Amino acid sequence: MANNIDHRQVRPTGAVVTGRSTEGGLGIALVDSVPLVREGLSALVMRTRGLRWVGAAGSPHAALQLCERFRPHAVIIDSGLDPRWHLSRMLIGNDPDLGVLLMIRETQRNTQYIAGAIAAGVHGVISRRSEPPQLVQAIQRVHAERRYIDPTLAPALGSPKGKVAASPANHGQQPLSRREYQVLQLIADGLENQAIAKVLYVSVETVRTHVKSILRKLSARDRTHAVAVAFRSGVLTVNQEEHPY
């Protein structure tokens, strides 16, 4: 199964500051399914002093693997790959020091999505049409201040400063754990429990336990229904590519 990870790295140059080490610069990762965007962002990061390119992922599953392995300081996520902020929640839950910056598509440039993202714990939002200098500034502020809102997106929040509408993300649905998410994605790929166990290096009984938990959390009748619910609610998204970069 393709992991869609591009983990080219650059030679470290930089200093150490408080908190997670920034020697070599702030480590930046990207989650975006468009190769041209990944190439452009990697070029921007590599030519910007104080930033270090960690790698890119083309799917949520690959993003989890990338961030777990390389532990970047900040990750930039295409909002189209995180329609209900499930990926953002999992990344933040796995690494509380990670700064998450969402690049907002025009179709999601609305109060419900942006306010929901902030309520879900996202540290910054920026328009996908932003100029490079603004993106660099957003990355730096997400790391240093844990907060950045693109001025062009601020009107979409439509609420007083410091007050954000409650997230409508899952309508009471319990969030999946990282492992449950992996199992669910493998189910969606057509794998049975025994094959999933081999991929994740766990026992078949452990997979069965995860499947039961997934069905309960998604209020699903069976595996097929769970996958349908996951795609409908945005827990899973359709991969737009099948090969690693």
Side-chain angles (χ1 to χ4, degrees):
M1 182 175 61
N3 60 15
N4 298 330
I5 294 177
D6 174 0
H7 44 74
R8 293 167 298 170
Q9 298 198 30
V10 295
R11 182 175 299 174
T13 56
V16 176
V17 296
T18 57
R20 179 180 294 177
S21 173
T22 56
E23 183 176 3
L26 299 181
I28 308 302
L30 172 68
V31 185
D32 199 295
S33 61
V34 181
L36 186 61
V37 173
R38 297 202 297 269
E39 290 292 333
L41 261 294
S42 67
L44 173 64
V45 169
M46 285 190 276
R47 71 171 181 257
T48 300
R49 184 178 180 84
L51 301 184
R52 172 173 54 86
W53 180 248
V54 169
S59 71
H61 179 65
L64 291 170
Q65 294 178 317
L66 176 69
C67 291
E68 180 178 32
R69 181 177 179 185
F70 294 105
R71 294 180 63 79
H73 295 88
V75 59
I76 305 165
I77 303 175
D78 169 24
S79 64
L81 291 180
D82 201 11
R84 294 293 183 271
W85 323 286
H86 189 71
L87 174 61
S88 294
R89 284 194 182 95
M90 283 197 294
L91 290 173
I92 294 168
N94 292 340
D95 183 2
D97 291 331
L98 177 67
V100 175
L101 176 64
L102 274 182
M103 285 198 301
I104 308 298
R105 297 189 182 192
E106 287 302 302
T107 54
Q108 291 162 314
R109 191 183 176 114
N110 56 68
T111 301
Q112 183 180 33
Y113 185 81
I114 297 173
I118 294 172
V122 168
H123 304 102
V125 290
I126 188 169
S127 171
R128 194 171 168 86
R129 296 184 175 183
S130 297
E131 294 294 325
Q134 185 182 0
L135 180 58
V136 170
Q137 180 190 47
I139 292 169
Q140 293 168 336
R141 288 183 58 181
V142 160
H143 174 70
E145 303 172 17
R146 311 295 284 179
R147 179 77 174 210
Y148 179 82
I149 297 178
D150 185 334
T152 68
L153 297 177
L157 287 173
S159 59
K161 185 177 181 180
K163 297 182 179 180
V164 178
S167 169
N170 294 312
H171 305 286
Q173 185 184 97
Q174 294 182 59
L176 300 181
S177 69
R178 176 182 176 276
R179 183 64 87 186
E180 288 166 351
Y181 177 82
Q182 291 175 323
V183 170
L184 179 60
Q185 188 159 55
L186 291 171
I187 291 173
D189 287 341
L191 275 66
E192 296 296 332
N193 288 354
Q194 188 170 1
I196 293 173
K198 290 181 179 179
V199 171
L200 299 179
Y201 298 99
V202 297
S203 69
V204 174
E205 187 56 38
T206 296
V207 174
R208 291 195 187 102
T209 299
H210 288 313
V211 171
K212 289 178 182 178
S213 180
I214 291 167
L215 296 181
R216 176 177 54 81
K217 289 182 176 181
L218 297 183
S219 300
R221 298 183 300 273
D222 52 35
R223 295 158 65 99
T224 302
H225 187 214
V227 171
V229 170
F231 277 115
R232 186 167 61 245
S233 63
V235 173
L236 290 180
T237 57
V238 178
N239 288 345
Q240 297 180 26
E241 56 184 34
E242 297 295 335
H243 304 287
Y245 292 89

PDB file of all heavy atoms in Angstrom, residues 200-232:
ATOM      1  N   LEU A 200      -0.192  -4.190  10.486  1.00  0.00           N
ATOM      2  CA  LEU A 200       0.043  -3.384  11.688  1.00  0.00           C
ATOM      3  C   LEU A 200       0.877  -4.100  12.741  1.00  0.00           C
ATOM      4  O   LEU A 200       1.154  -3.534  13.804  1.00  0.00           O
ATOM      5  CB  LEU A 200      -1.313  -2.978  12.297  1.00  0.00           C
ATOM      6  CG  LEU A 200      -2.221  -2.118  11.410  1.00  0.00           C
ATOM      7  CD1 LEU A 200      -3.522  -1.804  12.127  1.00  0.00           C
ATOM      8  CD2 LEU A 200      -1.526  -0.841  10.979  1.00  0.00           C
ATOM      9  N   TYR A 201       1.256  -5.357  12.469  1.00  0.00           N
ATOM     10  CA  TYR A 201       2.075  -6.139  13.404  1.00  0.00           C
ATOM     11  C   TYR A 201       1.386  -6.293  14.765  1.00  0.00           C
ATOM     12  O   TYR A 201       1.988  -6.088  15.822  1.00  0.00           O
ATOM     13  CB  TYR A 201       3.459  -5.494  13.584  1.00  0.00           C
ATOM     14  CG  TYR A 201       4.263  -5.444  12.316  1.00  0.00           C
ATOM     15  CD1 TYR A 201       4.325  -4.271  11.553  1.00  0.00           C
ATOM     16  CD2 TYR A 201       4.954  -6.561  11.849  1.00  0.00           C
ATOM     17  CE1 TYR A 201       5.048  -4.219  10.374  1.00  0.00           C
ATOM     18  CE2 TYR A 201       5.681  -6.520  10.662  1.00  0.00           C
ATOM     19  CZ  TYR A 201       5.724  -5.346   9.932  1.00  0.00           C
ATOM     20  OH  TYR A 201       6.431  -5.299   8.761  1.00  0.00           O
ATOM     21  N   VAL A 202       0.102  -6.630  14.722  1.00  0.00           N
ATOM     22  CA  VAL A 202      -0.662  -6.898  15.937  1.00  0.00           C
ATOM     23  C   VAL A 202      -1.387  -8.231  15.745  1.00  0.00           C
ATOM     24  O   VAL A 202      -1.391  -8.803  14.653  1.00  0.00           O
ATOM     25  CB  VAL A 202      -1.685  -5.778  16.235  1.00  0.00           C
ATOM     26  CG1 VAL A 202      -0.974  -4.456  16.482  1.00  0.00           C
ATOM     27  CG2 VAL A 202      -2.686  -5.634  15.090  1.00  0.00           C
ATOM     28  N   SER A 203      -2.025  -8.707  16.801  1.00  0.00           N
ATOM     29  CA  SER A 203      -2.764  -9.961  16.706  1.00  0.00           C
ATOM     30  C   SER A 203      -4.119  -9.745  16.041  1.00  0.00           C
ATOM     31  O   SER A 203      -4.655  -8.627  16.032  1.00  0.00           O
ATOM     32  CB  SER A 203      -2.972 -10.559  18.094  1.00  0.00           C
ATOM     33  OG  SER A 203      -3.875  -9.762  18.844  1.00  0.00           O
ATOM     34  N   VAL A 204      -4.680 -10.820  15.522  1.00  0.00           N
ATOM     35  CA  VAL A 204      -6.002 -10.741  14.904  1.00  0.00           C
ATOM     36  C   VAL A 204      -7.040 -10.347  15.957  1.00  0.00           C
ATOM     37  O   VAL A 204      -7.970  -9.586  15.668  1.00  0.00           O
ATOM     38  CB  VAL A 204      -6.379 -12.098  14.258  1.00  0.00           C
ATOM     39  CG1 VAL A 204      -7.819 -12.056  13.739  1.00  0.00           C
ATOM     40  CG2 VAL A 204      -5.429 -12.443  13.123  1.00  0.00           C
ATOM     41  N   GLU A 205      -6.866 -10.841  17.179  1.00  0.00           N
ATOM     42  CA  GLU A 205      -7.800 -10.500  18.250  1.00  0.00           C
ATOM     43  C   GLU A 205      -7.770  -8.995  18.552  1.00  0.00           C
ATOM     44  O   GLU A 205      -8.813  -8.379  18.810  1.00  0.00           O
ATOM     45  CB  GLU A 205      -7.462 -11.288  19.516  1.00  0.00           C
ATOM     46  CG  GLU A 205      -8.474 -11.118  20.632  1.00  0.00           C
ATOM     47  CD  GLU A 205      -9.893 -11.490  20.215  1.00  0.00           C
ATOM     48  OE1 GLU A 205     -10.049 -12.475  19.457  1.00  0.00           O
ATOM     49  OE2 GLU A 205     -10.831 -10.774  20.625  1.00  0.00           O
ATOM     50  N   THR A 206      -6.576  -8.407  18.483  1.00  0.00           N
ATOM     51  CA  THR A 206      -6.464  -6.955  18.694  1.00  0.00           C
ATOM     52  C   THR A 206      -7.205  -6.201  17.594  1.00  0.00           C
ATOM     53  O   THR A 206      -7.889  -5.212  17.861  1.00  0.00           O
ATOM     54  CB  THR A 206      -4.985  -6.527  18.706  1.00  0.00           C
ATOM     55  OG1 THR A 206      -4.332  -7.146  19.813  1.00  0.00           O
ATOM     56  CG2 THR A 206      -4.847  -5.015  18.833  1.00  0.00           C
ATOM     57  N   VAL A 207      -7.088  -6.681  16.362  1.00  0.00           N
ATOM     58  CA  VAL A 207      -7.808  -6.046  15.253  1.00  0.00           C
ATOM     59  C   VAL A 207      -9.306  -6.147  15.485  1.00  0.00           C
ATOM     60  O   VAL A 207     -10.045  -5.179  15.276  1.00  0.00           O
ATOM     61  CB  VAL A 207      -7.420  -6.701  13.911  1.00  0.00           C
ATOM     62  CG1 VAL A 207      -8.295  -6.137  12.785  1.00  0.00           C
ATOM     63  CG2 VAL A 207      -5.956  -6.468  13.599  1.00  0.00           C
ATOM     64  N   ARG A 208      -9.767  -7.320  15.918  1.00  0.00           N
ATOM     65  CA  ARG A 208     -11.204  -7.498  16.188  1.00  0.00           C
ATOM     66  C   ARG A 208     -11.678  -6.496  17.240  1.00  0.00           C
ATOM     67  O   ARG A 208     -12.775  -5.922  17.130  1.00  0.00           O
ATOM     68  CB  ARG A 208     -11.486  -8.919  16.658  1.00  0.00           C
ATOM     69  CG  ARG A 208     -11.311  -9.994  15.598  1.00  0.00           C
ATOM     70  CD  ARG A 208     -11.969 -11.285  16.051  1.00  0.00           C
ATOM     71  NE  ARG A 208     -11.671 -12.374  15.124  1.00  0.00           N
ATOM     72  CZ  ARG A 208     -10.778 -13.324  15.342  1.00  0.00           C
ATOM     73  NH1 ARG A 208     -10.084 -13.335  16.479  1.00  0.00           N
ATOM     74  NH2 ARG A 208     -10.572 -14.279  14.465  1.00  0.00           N
ATOM     75  N   THR A 209     -10.851  -6.287  18.257  1.00  0.00           N
ATOM     76  CA  THR A 209     -11.211  -5.331  19.308  1.00  0.00           C
ATOM     77  C   THR A 209     -11.332  -3.924  18.740  1.00  0.00           C
ATOM     78  O   THR A 209     -12.272  -3.183  19.070  1.00  0.00           O
ATOM     79  CB  THR A 209     -10.149  -5.349  20.427  1.00  0.00           C
ATOM     80  OG1 THR A 209     -10.094  -6.652  21.011  1.00  0.00           O
ATOM     81  CG2 THR A 209     -10.484  -4.332  21.509  1.00  0.00           C
ATOM     82  N   HIS A 210     -10.390  -3.548  17.884  1.00  0.00           N
ATOM     83  CA  HIS A 210     -10.453  -2.227  17.263  1.00  0.00           C
ATOM     84  C   HIS A 210     -11.688  -2.097  16.376  1.00  0.00           C
ATOM     85  O   HIS A 210     -12.335  -1.046  16.361  1.00  0.00           O
ATOM     86  CB  HIS A 210      -9.190  -1.973  16.429  1.00  0.00           C
ATOM     87  CG  HIS A 210      -7.962  -1.731  17.245  1.00  0.00           C
ATOM     88  ND1 HIS A 210      -7.929  -0.868  18.314  1.00  0.00           N
ATOM     89  CD2 HIS A 210      -6.691  -2.235  17.133  1.00  0.00           C
ATOM     90  CE1 HIS A 210      -6.720  -0.841  18.835  1.00  0.00           C
ATOM     91  NE2 HIS A 210      -5.944  -1.661  18.136  1.00  0.00           N
ATOM     92  N   VAL A 211     -12.006  -3.145  15.628  1.00  0.00           N
ATOM     93  CA  VAL A 211     -13.176  -3.102  14.739  1.00  0.00           C
ATOM     94  C   VAL A 211     -14.444  -2.902  15.561  1.00  0.00           C
ATOM     95  O   VAL A 211     -15.311  -2.094  15.200  1.00  0.00           O
ATOM     96  CB  VAL A 211     -13.269  -4.391  13.902  1.00  0.00           C
ATOM     97  CG1 VAL A 211     -14.596  -4.431  13.139  1.00  0.00           C
ATOM     98  CG2 VAL A 211     -12.100  -4.482  12.919  1.00  0.00           C
ATOM     99  N   LYS A 212     -14.567  -3.603  16.668  1.00  0.00           N
ATOM    100  CA  LYS A 212     -15.747  -3.448  17.529  1.00  0.00           C
ATOM    101  C   LYS A 212     -15.854  -2.016  18.041  1.00  0.00           C
ATOM    102  O   LYS A 212     -16.951  -1.436  18.081  1.00  0.00           O
ATOM    103  CB  LYS A 212     -15.666  -4.424  18.700  1.00  0.00           C
ATOM    104  CG  LYS A 212     -15.860  -5.887  18.331  1.00  0.00           C
ATOM    105  CD  LYS A 212     -15.723  -6.784  19.555  1.00  0.00           C
ATOM    106  CE  LYS A 212     -15.864  -8.253  19.179  1.00  0.00           C
ATOM    107  NZ  LYS A 212     -15.677  -9.142  20.352  1.00  0.00           N
ATOM    108  N   SER A 213     -14.707  -1.439  18.421  1.00  0.00           N
ATOM    109  CA  SER A 213     -14.709  -0.067  18.917  1.00  0.00           C
ATOM    110  C   SER A 213     -15.091   0.916  17.812  1.00  0.00           C
ATOM    111  O   SER A 213     -15.843   1.876  18.042  1.00  0.00           O
ATOM    112  CB  SER A 213     -13.325   0.281  19.471  1.00  0.00           C
ATOM    113  OG  SER A 213     -13.290   1.604  19.964  1.00  0.00           O
ATOM    114  N   ILE A 214     -14.604   0.657  16.604  1.00  0.00           N
ATOM    115  CA  ILE A 214     -14.935   1.514  15.460  1.00  0.00           C
ATOM    116  C   ILE A 214     -16.431   1.477  15.184  1.00  0.00           C
ATOM    117  O   ILE A 214     -17.075   2.523  14.985  1.00  0.00           O
ATOM    118  CB  ILE A 214     -14.147   1.068  14.209  1.00  0.00           C
ATOM    119  CG1 ILE A 214     -12.654   1.368  14.384  1.00  0.00           C
ATOM    120  CG2 ILE A 214     -14.680   1.762  12.954  1.00  0.00           C
ATOM    121  CD1 ILE A 214     -11.779   0.699  13.348  1.00  0.00           C
ATOM    122  N   LEU A 215     -17.011   0.282  15.170  1.00  0.00           N
ATOM    123  CA  LEU A 215     -18.439   0.145  14.902  1.00  0.00           C
ATOM    124  C   LEU A 215     -19.254   0.881  15.962  1.00  0.00           C
ATOM    125  O   LEU A 215     -20.253   1.544  15.646  1.00  0.00           O
ATOM    126  CB  LEU A 215     -18.832  -1.338  14.878  1.00  0.00           C
ATOM    127  CG  LEU A 215     -18.209  -2.203  13.777  1.00  0.00           C
ATOM    128  CD1 LEU A 215     -18.728  -3.642  13.876  1.00  0.00           C
ATOM    129  CD2 LEU A 215     -18.504  -1.632  12.397  1.00  0.00           C
ATOM    130  N   ARG A 216     -18.810   0.783  17.223  1.00  0.00           N
ATOM    131  CA  ARG A 216     -19.531   1.456  18.300  1.00  0.00           C
ATOM    132  C   ARG A 216     -19.440   2.972  18.163  1.00  0.00           C
ATOM    133  O   ARG A 216     -20.455   3.678  18.262  1.00  0.00           O
ATOM    134  CB  ARG A 216     -18.961   1.009  19.646  1.00  0.00           C
ATOM    135  CG  ARG A 216     -19.578   1.725  20.850  1.00  0.00           C
ATOM    136  CD  ARG A 216     -19.010   1.176  22.155  1.00  0.00           C
ATOM    137  NE  ARG A 216     -17.549   1.232  22.177  1.00  0.00           N
ATOM    138  CZ  ARG A 216     -16.859   2.337  22.473  1.00  0.00           C
ATOM    139  NH1 ARG A 216     -17.496   3.485  22.733  1.00  0.00           N
ATOM    140  NH2 ARG A 216     -15.536   2.306  22.489  1.00  0.00           N
ATOM    141  N   LYS A 217     -18.237   3.474  17.916  1.00  0.00           N
ATOM    142  CA  LYS A 217     -18.051   4.919  17.841  1.00  0.00           C
ATOM    143  C   LYS A 217     -18.747   5.539  16.634  1.00  0.00           C
ATOM    144  O   LYS A 217     -19.207   6.688  16.691  1.00  0.00           O
ATOM    145  CB  LYS A 217     -16.556   5.247  17.802  1.00  0.00           C
ATOM    146  CG  LYS A 217     -15.839   5.002  19.122  1.00  0.00           C
ATOM    147  CD  LYS A 217     -14.368   5.389  19.042  1.00  0.00           C
ATOM    148  CE  LYS A 217     -13.667   5.235  20.384  1.00  0.00           C
ATOM    149  NZ  LYS A 217     -12.242   5.640  20.318  1.00  0.00           N
ATOM    150  N   LEU A 218     -18.818   4.794  15.535  1.00  0.00           N
ATOM    151  CA  LEU A 218     -19.461   5.323  14.326  1.00  0.00           C
ATOM    152  C   LEU A 218     -20.931   4.943  14.243  1.00  0.00           C
ATOM    153  O   LEU A 218     -21.606   5.297  13.271  1.00  0.00           O
ATOM    154  CB  LEU A 218     -18.726   4.806  13.084  1.00  0.00           C
ATOM    155  CG  LEU A 218     -17.262   5.225  12.920  1.00  0.00           C
ATOM    156  CD1 LEU A 218     -16.701   4.696  11.602  1.00  0.00           C
ATOM    157  CD2 LEU A 218     -17.109   6.740  12.985  1.00  0.00           C
ATOM    158  N   SER A 219     -21.410   4.208  15.265  1.00  0.00           N
ATOM    159  CA  SER A 219     -22.805   3.726  15.269  1.00  0.00           C
ATOM    160  C   SER A 219     -23.106   2.979  13.973  1.00  0.00           C
ATOM    161  O   SER A 219     -24.146   3.196  13.337  1.00  0.00           O
ATOM    162  CB  SER A 219     -23.780   4.904  15.444  1.00  0.00           C
ATOM    163  OG  SER A 219     -23.542   5.584  16.662  1.00  0.00           O
ATOM    164  N   ALA A 220     -22.183   2.119  13.599  1.00  0.00           N
ATOM    165  CA  ALA A 220     -22.299   1.382  12.336  1.00  0.00           C
ATOM    166  C   ALA A 220     -22.760  -0.056  12.573  1.00  0.00           C
ATOM    167  O   ALA A 220     -22.427  -0.673  13.586  1.00  0.00           O
ATOM    168  CB  ALA A 220     -20.954   1.380  11.615  1.00  0.00           C
ATOM    169  N   ARG A 221     -23.502  -0.585  11.623  1.00  0.00           N
ATOM    170  CA  ARG A 221     -24.020  -1.954  11.728  1.00  0.00           C
ATOM    171  C   ARG A 221     -22.944  -2.990  11.466  1.00  0.00           C
ATOM    172  O   ARG A 221     -22.912  -4.048  12.093  1.00  0.00           O
ATOM    173  CB  ARG A 221     -25.165  -2.164  10.724  1.00  0.00           C
ATOM    174  CG  ARG A 221     -26.372  -1.265  10.948  1.00  0.00           C
ATOM    175  CD  ARG A 221     -27.467  -1.615   9.951  1.00  0.00           C
ATOM    176  NE  ARG A 221     -27.034  -1.446   8.573  1.00  0.00           N
ATOM    177  CZ  ARG A 221     -27.109  -0.298   7.906  1.00  0.00           C
ATOM    178  NH1 ARG A 221     -27.587   0.785   8.513  1.00  0.00           N
ATOM    179  NH2 ARG A 221     -26.695  -0.213   6.655  1.00  0.00           N
ATOM    180  N   ASP A 222     -22.069  -2.695  10.495  1.00  0.00           N
ATOM    181  CA  ASP A 222     -21.033  -3.637  10.112  1.00  0.00           C
ATOM    182  C   ASP A 222     -19.870  -2.873   9.494  1.00  0.00           C
ATOM    183  O   ASP A 222     -19.874  -1.635   9.445  1.00  0.00           O
ATOM    184  CB  ASP A 222     -21.582  -4.685   9.136  1.00  0.00           C
ATOM    185  CG  ASP A 222     -22.296  -4.066   7.951  1.00  0.00           C
ATOM    186  OD1 ASP A 222     -21.860  -2.976   7.479  1.00  0.00           O
ATOM    187  OD2 ASP A 222     -23.288  -4.637   7.468  1.00  0.00           O
ATOM    188  N   ARG A 223     -18.879  -3.610   8.998  1.00  0.00           N
ATOM    189  CA  ARG A 223     -17.678  -2.976   8.451  1.00  0.00           C
ATOM    190  C   ARG A 223     -17.996  -2.092   7.248  1.00  0.00           C
ATOM    191  O   ARG A 223     -17.485  -0.968   7.134  1.00  0.00           O
ATOM    192  CB  ARG A 223     -16.666  -4.068   8.052  1.00  0.00           C
ATOM    193  CG  ARG A 223     -16.153  -4.865   9.215  1.00  0.00           C
ATOM    194  CD  ARG A 223     -15.608  -6.226   8.756  1.00  0.00           C
ATOM    195  NE  ARG A 223     -14.444  -6.099   7.914  1.00  0.00           N
ATOM    196  CZ  ARG A 223     -13.196  -6.235   8.326  1.00  0.00           C
ATOM    197  NH1 ARG A 223     -12.943  -6.518   9.595  1.00  0.00           N
ATOM    198  NH2 ARG A 223     -12.179  -6.133   7.486  1.00  0.00           N
ATOM    199  N   THR A 224     -18.827  -2.580   6.357  1.00  0.00           N
ATOM    200  CA  THR A 224     -19.183  -1.805   5.166  1.00  0.00           C
ATOM    201  C   THR A 224     -19.892  -0.518   5.537  1.00  0.00           C
ATOM    202  O   THR A 224     -19.594   0.561   5.000  1.00  0.00           O
ATOM    203  CB  THR A 224     -20.079  -2.642   4.228  1.00  0.00           C
ATOM    204  OG1 THR A 224     -19.390  -3.835   3.870  1.00  0.00           O
ATOM    205  CG2 THR A 224     -20.441  -1.855   2.978  1.00  0.00           C
ATOM    206  N   HIS A 225     -20.809  -0.621   6.493  1.00  0.00           N
ATOM    207  CA  HIS A 225     -21.532   0.570   6.948  1.00  0.00           C
ATOM    208  C   HIS A 225     -20.578   1.544   7.629  1.00  0.00           C
ATOM    209  O   HIS A 225     -20.703   2.769   7.473  1.00  0.00           O
ATOM    210  CB  HIS A 225     -22.644   0.153   7.923  1.00  0.00           C
ATOM    211  CG  HIS A 225     -23.549   1.276   8.327  1.00  0.00           C
ATOM    212  ND1 HIS A 225     -24.121   1.383   9.575  1.00  0.00           N
ATOM    213  CD2 HIS A 225     -23.951   2.385   7.639  1.00  0.00           C
ATOM    214  CE1 HIS A 225     -24.852   2.485   9.630  1.00  0.00           C
ATOM    215  NE2 HIS A 225     -24.771   3.111   8.477  1.00  0.00           N
ATOM    216  N   ALA A 226     -19.596   1.030   8.382  1.00  0.00           N
ATOM    217  CA  ALA A 226     -18.626   1.890   9.053  1.00  0.00           C
ATOM    218  C   ALA A 226     -17.840   2.712   8.044  1.00  0.00           C
ATOM    219  O   ALA A 226     -17.601   3.908   8.237  1.00  0.00           O
ATOM    220  CB  ALA A 226     -17.675   1.048   9.901  1.00  0.00           C
ATOM    221  N   VAL A 227     -17.426   2.075   6.958  1.00  0.00           N
ATOM    222  CA  VAL A 227     -16.677   2.784   5.921  1.00  0.00           C
ATOM    223  C   VAL A 227     -17.552   3.862   5.282  1.00  0.00           C
ATOM    224  O   VAL A 227     -17.109   4.993   5.053  1.00  0.00           O
ATOM    225  CB  VAL A 227     -16.159   1.803   4.848  1.00  0.00           C
ATOM    226  CG1 VAL A 227     -15.579   2.563   3.659  1.00  0.00           C
ATOM    227  CG2 VAL A 227     -15.116   0.869   5.445  1.00  0.00           C
ATOM    228  N   ALA A 228     -18.812   3.525   5.023  1.00  0.00           N
ATOM    229  CA  ALA A 228     -19.733   4.493   4.421  1.00  0.00           C
ATOM    230  C   ALA A 228     -19.933   5.691   5.340  1.00  0.00           C
ATOM    231  O   ALA A 228     -19.902   6.849   4.900  1.00  0.00           O
ATOM    232  CB  ALA A 228     -21.074   3.818   4.119  1.00  0.00           C
ATOM    233  N   VAL A 229     -20.128   5.413   6.620  1.00  0.00           N
ATOM    234  CA  VAL A 229     -20.310   6.493   7.602  1.00  0.00           C
ATOM    235  C   VAL A 229     -19.055   7.363   7.675  1.00  0.00           C
ATOM    236  O   VAL A 229     -19.123   8.593   7.741  1.00  0.00           O
ATOM    237  CB  VAL A 229     -20.639   5.909   8.994  1.00  0.00           C
ATOM    238  CG1 VAL A 229     -20.593   7.007  10.057  1.00  0.00           C
ATOM    239  CG2 VAL A 229     -22.005   5.240   8.987  1.00  0.00           C
ATOM    240  N   ALA A 230     -17.887   6.703   7.642  1.00  0.00           N
ATOM    241  CA  ALA A 230     -16.627   7.436   7.749  1.00  0.00           C
ATOM    242  C   ALA A 230     -16.421   8.385   6.579  1.00  0.00           C
ATOM    243  O   ALA A 230     -15.983   9.523   6.755  1.00  0.00           O
ATOM    244  CB  ALA A 230     -15.466   6.441   7.839  1.00  0.00           C
ATOM    245  N   PHE A 231     -16.732   7.925   5.371  1.00  0.00           N
ATOM    246  CA  PHE A 231     -16.587   8.810   4.203  1.00  0.00           C
ATOM    247  C   PHE A 231     -17.628   9.927   4.236  1.00  0.00           C
ATOM    248  O   PHE A 231     -17.327  11.084   3.914  1.00  0.00           O
ATOM    249  CB  PHE A 231     -16.715   8.011   2.908  1.00  0.00           C
ATOM    250  CG  PHE A 231     -15.441   7.324   2.491  1.00  0.00           C
ATOM    251  CD1 PHE A 231     -15.352   5.948   2.457  1.00  0.00           C
ATOM    252  CD2 PHE A 231     -14.324   8.067   2.138  1.00  0.00           C
ATOM    253  CE1 PHE A 231     -14.171   5.313   2.089  1.00  0.00           C
ATOM    254  CE2 PHE A 231     -13.142   7.448   1.761  1.00  0.00           C
ATOM    255  CZ  PHE A 231     -13.063   6.060   1.737  1.00  0.00           C
ATOM    256  N   ARG A 232     -18.844   9.597   4.640  1.00  0.00           N
ATOM    257  CA  ARG A 232     -19.903  10.599   4.671  1.00  0.00           C
ATOM    258  C   ARG A 232     -19.622  11.688   5.702  1.00  0.00           C
ATOM    259  O   ARG A 232     -19.938  12.866   5.485  1.00  0.00           O
ATOM    260  CB  ARG A 232     -21.239   9.915   4.965  1.00  0.00           C
ATOM    261  CG  ARG A 232     -22.445  10.860   4.864  1.00  0.00           C
ATOM    262  CD  ARG A 232     -23.754  10.094   4.843  1.00  0.00           C
ATOM    263  NE  ARG A 232     -23.961   9.309   6.052  1.00  0.00           N
ATOM    264  CZ  ARG A 232     -24.007   7.985   6.099  1.00  0.00           C
ATOM    265  NH1 ARG A 232     -23.832   7.270   4.992  1.00  0.00           N
ATOM    266  NH2 ARG A 232     -24.209   7.349   7.226  1.00  0.00           N
TER     267      ARG A 232
END
